[in-house]
Amino acid sequence: MNPAQVEFLAENQTIQITPNFSHDRLYLICGEVGPFRPGIPVQVPLWMAINLKQRQKCRITAPEWMTVETLVKIKEDEGQSKTFTPMPDEHYMVTTQLILGAAPHDIANTDEIRILVKDIWDMRIAKLRSSVDAFLKIGGSLAKVDHLTPMEINTVRPFLPHALDQLFRLRQVWRKTLPTIRPNKFIQQAYNHREMASNSPDPSKIRRLISHVRKPLVFRGLIESWPMLKFSQNDWDNLFRQMVLECRVGSRNSRGDQPQWEGESDNIKCTYSEFIKWSENSGDVCNPEMSSLETDKHFLYYGYKYMKDIFDSEVLRMTEWKAFGYPEKNGAESTFWMGTAGAHTPCHYDTYGCNLVAQLSGRKRWILFPPEDTDFLKPTRVPYEESSVYSRINFEKWIGTIPNISGTHPHVVDLVPGDVLFVPRHWWHHVRNEELSISINTWLELSNDDQEARLHESLVKFLVAHTCRNLQPNVVSELLNPNEEDMTYADLDEIQNFVHYSFKALKDNEADGRNVPEDVDALPDEPWILPVVCNESFEPKVKKARSADAHSKIVVLDVVRAFCHPRVIETVSQILKNEFKT
């Protein structure tokens, strides 16, 4: 169950109210309630109690356990016990939030109760996290835990099943019940005896170039030693074997004004072999989840996967970034992307660092825009994903052509196997597979610029986390990207500390007098480097007035989007720096 479903169950439990109106008995799906008579207590579902309270039709009576004395005793018992103690209500946290939010004046000692419940929750979540950590470290596969509530279980739901799945796979490898995930003999020999070409550039020279240049570049011939670059389809099949891949399913016919957000997509599970057979229309895919998918209407994307989570250390060492001046980086600091034709990500820029992307198989089109084009690309933090600023423009309208967006300067490049693209800091990019494609990337930290970015990110996170607490579940699902669902229950004190430490790190950095490196205008005239040039410039146009039938009512997500706009966050950051000058 997700948090919204848990809240739905909590709202169905009964609670006592004292109505101030008369009404006959009501016959609901969940049973009979009433009759209602002024001043006579009656039991009703919690959702009905809240609805009546909002219309000032009743007074809510607190559950027996919702007193300071009872909660103090529960807190003491929980603190003294090494295991989880029984809770008086399996939805105690949700029930408290709902009742105190709707009827704070009906309940005595509201503030004390809210603090005590939060303390109990924090103690139990800390105990749960330490238990899960110990469980994973010993390689356990089965555990019985009593007295956990549904919402507490939900806090570990996003990662625990995946972690257990990884442990299960490792045990299979150890017991040799499945073939090990290792490169085949031919690839292993190539890996052990790889050599860089004699005319390869000095890695320190490339690292310095990456640290200074502010325009996208394509490097060629620098990853010829990577074994994966020479992989055949059979090699990839041997690498993945029976590994289960969780893939995003998207539409190839998305031509509306809005991008196809990740939260609007479905997910399926398949093996690599099924993935390839489906993409080739071989017709012998037995996976029922893929039976209704058509290659000309859908795409599959197995993307943004940390390699350390899916491959063993031997495979991770096959990905090295030392030719670019980063010998400390390998597959453990890289992410894996594999998608069928048409797979794409909405246009966005990364708030942290810069990016190196190695194309291993297939052809992938990158459309990049400089940071100066930001205002013309309609930036948004809705849906929210840490470190990603999205564009509200749907680039799928321009498949095969250069996007004609007023005021922008698109740079278009098609990557082929062996190419490595350098994406500078804050450059927008829309990425689309022109055919079945595999690539690997790594993010490079920029210590000077990233201090400012971390403060900006902490401010956005602060606003989003607080806003989530007061929104309906369906609105929260629109606000958050699927990988940020736990933001609703994030520790607000931790986020406040994130803001504080980000601000302190920025001030310390400025006090040290560290300067941003100057841009490099002249690039070396070498065969291994190719600048990505601007294909066409589009002059800014006079903004047209909104049509009468256009969306004109301001809704909550419009307000969040405005407050999280990069210009607003920059202004807030500057105000804080001026306010707390040392």
Side-chain angles (χ1 to χ4, degrees):
M1 291 187 293
N2 59 37
Q5 292 169 326
V6 174
E7 185 171 326
F8 175 80
L9 294 177
E11 290 176 339
N12 276 325
Q13 60 187 341
T14 59
I15 191 171
Q16 181 175 291
I17 66 168
T18 303
N20 56 18
F21 65 97
S22 295
H23 199 284
D24 294 335
R25 190 183 306 274
L26 296 176
Y27 299 92
L28 308 176
I29 295 177
C30 59
E32 300 178 5
V33 294
F36 299 88
R37 298 291 181 265
I40 300 178
V42 62
Q43 294 285 329
V44 300
L46 180 55
W47 62 264
M48 179 179 286
I50 293 173
N51 181 272
L52 292 173
K53 181 62 183 179
Q54 290 172 341
R55 293 188 291 156
Q56 299 182 358
K57 295 292 185 180
C58 74
R59 181 170 58 83
I60 295 178
T61 302
E64 292 183 0
W65 57 267
M66 197 177 286
T67 64
V68 172
E69 294 76 13
T70 302
L71 291 172
V72 167
K73 180 65 167 60
I74 293 173
K75 180 180 176 181
E76 291 176 352
D77 292 344
E78 191 66 41
Q80 295 171 2
S81 174
K82 294 183 179 180
T83 59
F84 295 94
T85 59
M87 289 290 101
D89 181 345
E90 67 171 349
H91 301 293
Y92 71 97
M93 173 57 85
V94 179
T95 301
T96 301
Q97 291 176 337
L98 292 174
I99 293 177
L100 297 189
H105 302 298
D106 291 355
I107 313 299
N109 304 311
T110 301
D111 292 337
E112 291 89 337
I113 289 174
R114 184 180 282 111
I115 292 172
L116 284 167
V117 170
K118 180 64 166 58
D119 288 345
I120 294 169
W121 169 270
D122 289 343
M123 291 171 62
R124 291 172 65 87
I125 294 302
K127 192 181 295 184
L128 176 59
R129 289 176 178 170
S130 62
S131 299
V132 169
D133 183 57
F135 176 69
L136 294 177
K137 285 181 178 178
I138 65 173
S141 59
L142 178 65
K144 181 181 179 182
V145 182
D146 294 324
H147 309 312
L148 277 178
T149 67
M151 193 61 81
E152 290 167 347
I153 294 174
N154 222 273
T155 62
V156 297
R157 182 181 63 86
F159 68 88
L160 184 56
H162 175 70
L164 292 175
D165 186 47
Q166 294 297 320
L167 287 173
F168 174 72
R169 291 178 193 162
L170 287 173
R171 278 193 296 274
Q172 286 182 313
V173 172
W174 293 334
R175 296 171 185 171
K176 298 183 179 180
T177 57
L178 281 178
T180 183
I181 303 175
R182 292 177 180 271
N184 62 33
K185 182 178 180 181
F186 170 77
I187 297 299
Q188 186 63 47
Q189 290 174 347
Y191 172 66
N192 289 335
H193 299 92
R194 63 193 182 278
E195 294 180 358
M196 292 292 291
S198 59
N199 61 345
S200 295
D202 181 0
S204 63
K205 180 179 180 181
I206 297 184
R207 179 161 183 162
R208 183 180 182 280
L209 184 65
I210 290 173
S211 301
H212 288 72
V213 75
R214 293 293 182 263
K215 294 180 176 62
L217 305 171
V218 173
F219 297 100
R220 288 185 169 161
L222 300 187
I223 60 170
E224 294 300 317
S225 63
W226 285 23
M228 287 183 178
L229 187 61
K230 304 175 179 66
F231 268 23
S232 66
Q233 198 169 103
N234 187 57
D235 293 325
W236 286 111
D237 193 33
N238 288 335
L239 186 70
F240 283 103
R241 290 292 183 177
Q242 296 303 310
M243 185 187 299
V244 177
L245 312 179
E246 185 167 352
C247 303
R248 173 189 167 206
V249 179
S251 170
R252 296 186 63 176
N253 303 310
S254 174
R255 302 291 188 270
D257 292 332
Q258 290 287 330
Q260 184 179 174
W261 303 117
E262 186 176 341
E264 300 169 353
S265 303
D266 295 323
N267 290 282
I268 66 162
K269 293 182 179 180
C270 64
T271 63
Y272 173 80
S273 176
E274 292 170 337
F275 185 98
I276 296 300
K277 288 179 180 179
W278 179 85
S279 69
E280 295 176 343
N281 277 320
S282 64
D284 57 349
V285 180
C286 300
N287 189 329
E289 292 189 72
M290 309 175 80
S291 60
S292 62
L293 303 180
E294 302 177 36
T295 54
D296 60 338
K297 295 181 180 179
H298 303 94
F299 66 78
L300 297 182
Y301 211 175
Y302 182 67
Y304 206 167
K305 306 297 181 183
Y306 291 101
M307 292 181 64
K308 63 183 179 181
D309 293 337
I310 57 177
F311 297 125
D312 67 16
S313 59
E314 195 167 359
V315 176
L316 298 181
R317 289 195 297 270
M318 296 167 64
T319 302
E320 293 184 337
W321 300 97
K322 68 179 184 180
F324 301 88
Y326 296 89
E328 72 280 7
K329 285 184 174 290
N330 61 19
E333 293 82 31
S334 306
T335 50
F336 185 87
W337 308 78
M338 178 173 67
T340 60
H344 63 274
T345 55
C347 184
H348 67 284
Y349 74 79
D350 304 312
T351 58
Y352 297 142
C354 54
N355 199 354
L356 284 176
V357 186
Q359 189 70 17
L360 302 183
S361 174
R363 185 165 60 93
K364 180 175 287 190
R365 170 159 293 187
W366 285 69
I367 305 175
L368 303 106
F369 300 87
E372 295 76 26
D373 290 356
T374 293
D375 285 344
F376 300 103
L377 292 170
K378 298 183 179 180
T380 180
R381 296 310 299 263
V382 179
Y384 170 76
E385 179 181 53
E386 185 175 359
S387 78
S388 295
V389 178
Y390 288 106
S391 167
R392 283 184 286 157
I393 300 173
N394 182 16
F395 280 70
E396 290 297 286
K397 296 186 294 184
W398 292 287
I399 293 178
T401 62
I402 298 176
N404 183 357
I405 303 173
S406 169
T408 63
H409 306 80
H411 296 55
V412 183
V413 61
D414 284 0
L415 297 186
V416 296
D419 287 350
V420 176
L421 174 66
F422 167 66
V423 182
R425 179 178 185 265
H426 285 188
W427 271 69
W428 292 84
H429 45 280
H430 175 264
V431 189
R432 190 177 197 275
N433 289 353
E434 299 301 304
E435 57 192 34
L436 180 66
S437 171
I438 297 176
S439 57
I440 291 175
N441 86 291
T442 189
W443 280 279
L444 307 175
E445 183 177 351
L446 299 174
S447 57
N448 295 318
D449 295 329
D450 282 354
Q451 298 296 348
E452 183 88 29
R454 284 192 176 87
L455 176 58
H456 291 184
E457 278 301 302
S458 69
L459 294 173
V460 175
K461 192 170 188 176
F462 178 88
L463 178 63
V464 171
H466 281 76
T467 303
C468 284
R469 304 301 174 94
N470 300 293
L471 298 179
Q472 294 297 322
N474 63 312
V475 181
V476 172
S477 65
E478 291 185 60
L479 172 59
L480 301 178
N481 212 48
N483 59 345
E484 299 286 355
E485 287 180 347
D486 58 348
M487 179 66 71
T488 308
Y489 303 98
D491 189 321
L492 298 181
D493 291 335
E494 287 185 7
I495 295 176
Q496 176 64 51
N497 289 334
F498 181 32
V499 175
H500 170 73
Y501 291 122
S502 299
F503 181 78
K504 185 177 184 300
L506 176 61
K507 298 297 288 183
D508 292 344
N509 186 69
E510 292 176 345
D512 290 343
R514 301 171 191 167
N515 298 319
V516 177
E518 296 181 1
D519 191 6
V520 173
D521 293 323
L523 296 175
D525 184 15
E526 299 283 357
W528 46 265
I529 188 171
L530 178 69
V532 181
V533 298
C534 180
N535 298 82
E536 192 169 351
S537 296
F538 297 98
E539 293 297 324
K541 298 178 182 178
V542 178
K543 190 173 182 180
K544 297 180 180 179
R546 298 173 70 94
S547 60
D549 59 345
H551 163 65
S552 57
K553 182 180 178 181
I554 296 178
V555 297
V556 63
L557 293 184
D558 295 320
V559 177
V560 175
R561 187 181 294 113
F563 272 105
C564 293
H565 191 284
R567 287 203 310 270
V568 176
I569 295 300
E570 171 64 35
T571 301
V572 174
S573 172
Q574 191 59 51
I575 291 173
L576 287 174
K577 287 191 286 186
N578 292 339
E579 184 75 17
F580 293 94
K581 282 184 177 179
T582 56

